[in-house]
Amino acid sequence: MGQSALNAQQVSGLVQVNLVKADDLTPWLERGTGILAYQNDSLNLQQSLLNVQGKLASSVSYNVVANVYQQGEQHLGVTQAVIRYKPLSNSHTRFKARGGFFYPRMSLENVDIGWLSPYTYTQSAINSWIGEELRVAGVEASLYSAGRSRRSPLSWEVTGGLFKGNDTLGTVLSWRGFAMHDRQSLHNDRVNFADYPSVNDPNGIFHPSYVEPFHELDGRIGFYLGTHLSYYQRTQLRYYFYDNQADPNVVNHQRLYAWRTKFHSLAFSHDFTSDARLIAQWLTGSSAMGQRFVYINFDAWYLMYSHKFAAHRISLRYDDFKVREDDIFPMDMNNSNGRGVTLAWRYTINANWQLGLEQHVNRNQADIRSTLGESPQQDQQQTLAVVQFRWR
């Protein structure tokens, strides 16, 4: 590879602006209890990101994603920064690795630039939560084998990662429950939630009404293990087990606790034709803080069908999610559940411009809302009209 190829840097990006019609329910981003990102009717900058990638050597590449958000505590920052090592090899079984600040590759929904979804604008409850609270600062190593190199229809990969900096994972899931949106937390970001009395009480849990999701508190190393299978490149299956190995008794000067969070994730996709795709994911796990001050089991799944007609793509997704508590503070209510339906249409005008419409409805319940004098149950709806500009 020539020196010019090594020095070549590719810069791509995306901007999405939306016009939203939404309910008058204050979202958690503004310390409310709504699980959707928008309130009332408004014009918003939905997404703005810059993706920079290039090569440092023939087998070493890098990728950095920077985002600008109108909503949230922090408006500008990095969501991913990765160095990848992938040597050339003639072997049937090959090796690759990466290190930095990144997502484990659990999702078959968020496969577009900057870990966005090419299907809907409001992402599944599972991947909305992963975008909020989960990122690893660590290393990952993989062995993989492409089916075509063995004249086999089956390709496989086994992967594992070691990381730090995700000790507070589980905080918003315990107190707010699952939400549905497309905002990814930035490095050094803060995620707010409502001022629940049972959380703030100095004689109780005494935790602030926010979490900073990428803190390292206890010095322990977390891990994950994953397996990818692909059959004729039409059917994909991904299984992951994630355990942050956090010590739930550790607390920092901000009164942020480490949460011992572990879960299983199973993702599936199947292409019926080149234009028709079914995608599903299931996530189940638990999280604990303190001497069982908070202990939750969580479970979520979605099923999505997406069909492409020429320049049009229509996607329909159903979500189901719940959190169940089993801890020593019954006055701190952690039970929540919900279900939602999302229908999206995206029309690609050309390589740069895209238009979209989306209708989302959900019914959700969070018992902790009663501590604020609110009804535990909410019915929410949101309509988005989106204009996207993308450059490569």
PDB file of all heavy atoms in Angstrom, residues 105-120:
ATOM      1  N   ARG A 105     -20.663  -5.113  19.402  1.00  0.00           N
ATOM      2  CA  ARG A 105     -21.477  -5.218  18.186  1.00  0.00           C
ATOM      3  C   ARG A 105     -22.709  -6.104  18.421  1.00  0.00           C
ATOM      4  O   ARG A 105     -22.938  -7.085  17.717  1.00  0.00           O
ATOM      5  CB  ARG A 105     -20.619  -5.742  17.043  1.00  0.00           C
ATOM      6  CG  ARG A 105     -19.579  -4.735  16.552  1.00  0.00           C
ATOM      7  CD  ARG A 105     -18.531  -5.362  15.683  1.00  0.00           C
ATOM      8  NE  ARG A 105     -17.732  -6.321  16.436  1.00  0.00           N
ATOM      9  CZ  ARG A 105     -17.209  -7.424  15.922  1.00  0.00           C
ATOM     10  NH1 ARG A 105     -17.420  -7.744  14.656  1.00  0.00           N
ATOM     11  NH2 ARG A 105     -16.479  -8.229  16.666  1.00  0.00           N
ATOM     12  N   MET A 106     -23.514  -5.724  19.385  1.00  0.00           N
ATOM     13  CA  MET A 106     -24.711  -6.494  19.720  1.00  0.00           C
ATOM     14  C   MET A 106     -25.864  -6.231  18.762  1.00  0.00           C
ATOM     15  O   MET A 106     -26.715  -7.086  18.551  1.00  0.00           O
ATOM     16  CB  MET A 106     -25.173  -6.134  21.134  1.00  0.00           C
ATOM     17  CG  MET A 106     -24.154  -6.370  22.207  1.00  0.00           C
ATOM     18  SD  MET A 106     -24.780  -5.785  23.801  1.00  0.00           S
ATOM     19  CE  MET A 106     -23.323  -5.982  24.816  1.00  0.00           C
ATOM     20  N   SER A 107     -25.930  -5.017  18.228  1.00  0.00           N
ATOM     21  CA  SER A 107     -27.123  -4.577  17.526  1.00  0.00           C
ATOM     22  C   SER A 107     -27.090  -4.926  16.044  1.00  0.00           C
ATOM     23  O   SER A 107     -26.081  -4.738  15.368  1.00  0.00           O
ATOM     24  CB  SER A 107     -27.284  -3.060  17.675  1.00  0.00           C
ATOM     25  OG  SER A 107     -28.414  -2.605  16.967  1.00  0.00           O
ATOM     26  N   LEU A 108     -28.219  -5.404  15.531  1.00  0.00           N
ATOM     27  CA  LEU A 108     -28.442  -5.529  14.090  1.00  0.00           C
ATOM     28  C   LEU A 108     -29.401  -4.460  13.594  1.00  0.00           C
ATOM     29  O   LEU A 108     -29.755  -4.428  12.426  1.00  0.00           O
ATOM     30  CB  LEU A 108     -28.979  -6.922  13.756  1.00  0.00           C
ATOM     31  CG  LEU A 108     -27.956  -8.052  13.915  1.00  0.00           C
ATOM     32  CD1 LEU A 108     -28.632  -9.418  13.818  1.00  0.00           C
ATOM     33  CD2 LEU A 108     -26.846  -7.934  12.887  1.00  0.00           C
ATOM     34  N   GLU A 109     -29.819  -3.585  14.506  1.00  0.00           N
ATOM     35  CA  GLU A 109     -30.668  -2.437  14.180  1.00  0.00           C
ATOM     36  C   GLU A 109     -29.815  -1.208  13.893  1.00  0.00           C
ATOM     37  O   GLU A 109     -30.039  -0.488  12.925  1.00  0.00           O
ATOM     38  CB  GLU A 109     -31.619  -2.151  15.343  1.00  0.00           C
ATOM     39  CG  GLU A 109     -32.464  -0.901  15.161  1.00  0.00           C
ATOM     40  CD  GLU A 109     -33.286  -0.572  16.403  1.00  0.00           C
ATOM     41  OE1 GLU A 109     -32.871  -0.926  17.524  1.00  0.00           O
ATOM     42  OE2 GLU A 109     -34.353   0.068  16.248  1.00  0.00           O
ATOM     43  N   ASN A 110     -28.822  -0.953  14.717  1.00  0.00           N
ATOM     44  CA  ASN A 110     -28.001   0.260  14.610  1.00  0.00           C
ATOM     45  C   ASN A 110     -26.749  -0.040  13.797  1.00  0.00           C
ATOM     46  O   ASN A 110     -25.656  -0.211  14.337  1.00  0.00           O
ATOM     47  CB  ASN A 110     -27.637   0.763  16.010  1.00  0.00           C
ATOM     48  CG  ASN A 110     -28.848   1.227  16.783  1.00  0.00           C
ATOM     49  OD1 ASN A 110     -29.793   0.478  16.966  1.00  0.00           O
ATOM     50  ND2 ASN A 110     -28.835   2.468  17.207  1.00  0.00           N
ATOM     51  N   VAL A 111     -26.917  -0.096  12.485  1.00  0.00           N
ATOM     52  CA  VAL A 111     -25.847  -0.532  11.591  1.00  0.00           C
ATOM     53  C   VAL A 111     -25.455   0.557  10.588  1.00  0.00           C
ATOM     54  O   VAL A 111     -24.654   0.311   9.690  1.00  0.00           O
ATOM     55  CB  VAL A 111     -26.255  -1.819  10.841  1.00  0.00           C
ATOM     56  CG1 VAL A 111     -26.392  -2.982  11.809  1.00  0.00           C
ATOM     57  CG2 VAL A 111     -27.562  -1.613  10.074  1.00  0.00           C
ATOM     58  N   ASP A 112     -25.989   1.765  10.751  1.00  0.00           N
ATOM     59  CA  ASP A 112     -25.678   2.858   9.834  1.00  0.00           C
ATOM     60  C   ASP A 112     -24.536   3.700  10.398  1.00  0.00           C
ATOM     61  O   ASP A 112     -24.023   3.437  11.495  1.00  0.00           O
ATOM     62  CB  ASP A 112     -26.930   3.709   9.611  1.00  0.00           C
ATOM     63  CG  ASP A 112     -26.905   4.438   8.272  1.00  0.00           C
ATOM     64  OD1 ASP A 112     -25.866   4.402   7.580  1.00  0.00           O
ATOM     65  OD2 ASP A 112     -27.929   5.058   7.915  1.00  0.00           O
ATOM     66  N   ILE A 113     -24.155   4.727   9.702  1.00  0.00           N
ATOM     67  CA  ILE A 113     -23.093   5.620  10.114  1.00  0.00           C
ATOM     68  C   ILE A 113     -23.355   6.132  11.542  1.00  0.00           C
ATOM     69  O   ILE A 113     -24.482   6.448  11.910  1.00  0.00           O
ATOM     70  CB  ILE A 113     -22.972   6.806   9.123  1.00  0.00           C
ATOM     71  CG1 ILE A 113     -21.830   7.749   9.529  1.00  0.00           C
ATOM     72  CG2 ILE A 113     -24.283   7.560   9.005  1.00  0.00           C
ATOM     73  CD1 ILE A 113     -21.583   8.856   8.521  1.00  0.00           C
ATOM     74  N   GLY A 114     -22.300   6.173  12.362  1.00  0.00           N
ATOM     75  CA  GLY A 114     -22.410   6.723  13.701  1.00  0.00           C
ATOM     76  C   GLY A 114     -23.300   5.934  14.632  1.00  0.00           C
ATOM     77  O   GLY A 114     -23.848   6.476  15.591  1.00  0.00           O
ATOM     78  N   TRP A 115     -23.476   4.654  14.379  1.00  0.00           N
ATOM     79  CA  TRP A 115     -24.331   3.767  15.193  1.00  0.00           C
ATOM     80  C   TRP A 115     -25.788   4.225  15.168  1.00  0.00           C
ATOM     81  O   TRP A 115     -26.522   4.111  16.124  1.00  0.00           O
ATOM     82  CB  TRP A 115     -23.809   3.677  16.638  1.00  0.00           C
ATOM     83  CG  TRP A 115     -24.223   2.426  17.366  1.00  0.00           C
ATOM     84  CD1 TRP A 115     -23.694   1.182  17.224  1.00  0.00           C
ATOM     85  CD2 TRP A 115     -25.258   2.303  18.347  1.00  0.00           C
ATOM     86  NE1 TRP A 115     -24.338   0.290  18.064  1.00  0.00           N
ATOM     87  CE2 TRP A 115     -25.298   0.953  18.772  1.00  0.00           C
ATOM     88  CE3 TRP A 115     -26.144   3.200  18.930  1.00  0.00           C
ATOM     89  CZ2 TRP A 115     -26.180   0.482  19.740  1.00  0.00           C
ATOM     90  CZ3 TRP A 115     -27.034   2.735  19.886  1.00  0.00           C
ATOM     91  CH2 TRP A 115     -27.048   1.394  20.284  1.00  0.00           C
ATOM     92  N   LEU A 116     -26.238   4.738  14.029  1.00  0.00           N
ATOM     93  CA  LEU A 116     -27.643   5.077  13.848  1.00  0.00           C
ATOM     94  C   LEU A 116     -28.371   3.911  13.177  1.00  0.00           C
ATOM     95  O   LEU A 116     -27.755   2.983  12.660  1.00  0.00           O
ATOM     96  CB  LEU A 116     -27.784   6.336  13.002  1.00  0.00           C
ATOM     97  CG  LEU A 116     -27.222   7.632  13.596  1.00  0.00           C
ATOM     98  CD1 LEU A 116     -27.436   8.786  12.641  1.00  0.00           C
ATOM     99  CD2 LEU A 116     -27.841   7.930  14.954  1.00  0.00           C
ATOM    100  N   SER A 117     -29.691   4.004  13.178  1.00  0.00           N
ATOM    101  CA  SER A 117     -30.505   2.997  12.504  1.00  0.00           C
ATOM    102  C   SER A 117     -30.896   3.499  11.118  1.00  0.00           C
ATOM    103  O   SER A 117     -31.336   4.643  10.976  1.00  0.00           O
ATOM    104  CB  SER A 117     -31.771   2.712  13.318  1.00  0.00           C
ATOM    105  OG  SER A 117     -32.684   1.938  12.560  1.00  0.00           O
ATOM    106  N   PRO A 118     -30.785   2.673  10.082  1.00  0.00           N
ATOM    107  CA  PRO A 118     -31.267   3.064   8.754  1.00  0.00           C
ATOM    108  C   PRO A 118     -32.763   2.809   8.578  1.00  0.00           C
ATOM    109  O   PRO A 118     -33.304   3.069   7.503  1.00  0.00           O
ATOM    110  CB  PRO A 118     -30.459   2.161   7.820  1.00  0.00           C
ATOM    111  CG  PRO A 118     -30.256   0.914   8.611  1.00  0.00           C
ATOM    112  CD  PRO A 118     -30.113   1.352  10.047  1.00  0.00           C
ATOM    113  N   TYR A 119     -33.430   2.315   9.615  1.00  0.00           N
ATOM    114  CA  TYR A 119     -34.826   1.883   9.498  1.00  0.00           C
ATOM    115  C   TYR A 119     -35.811   2.890  10.098  1.00  0.00           C
ATOM    116  O   TYR A 119     -36.759   3.292   9.436  1.00  0.00           O
ATOM    117  CB  TYR A 119     -34.994   0.520  10.177  1.00  0.00           C
ATOM    118  CG  TYR A 119     -34.022  -0.508   9.688  1.00  0.00           C
ATOM    119  CD1 TYR A 119     -32.968  -0.938  10.490  1.00  0.00           C
ATOM    120  CD2 TYR A 119     -34.132  -1.044   8.405  1.00  0.00           C
ATOM    121  CE1 TYR A 119     -32.055  -1.882  10.041  1.00  0.00           C
ATOM    122  CE2 TYR A 119     -33.221  -1.996   7.940  1.00  0.00           C
ATOM    123  CZ  TYR A 119     -32.185  -2.399   8.768  1.00  0.00           C
ATOM    124  OH  TYR A 119     -31.280  -3.326   8.316  1.00  0.00           O
ATOM    125  N   THR A 120     -35.631   3.247  11.354  1.00  0.00           N
ATOM    126  CA  THR A 120     -36.529   4.168  12.039  1.00  0.00           C
ATOM    127  C   THR A 120     -35.717   5.297  12.671  1.00  0.00           C
ATOM    128  O   THR A 120     -34.492   5.204  12.794  1.00  0.00           O
ATOM    129  CB  THR A 120     -37.336   3.455  13.141  1.00  0.00           C
ATOM    130  OG1 THR A 120     -36.425   2.973  14.140  1.00  0.00           O
ATOM    131  CG2 THR A 120     -38.143   2.295  12.572  1.00  0.00           C
TER     132      THR A 120
END
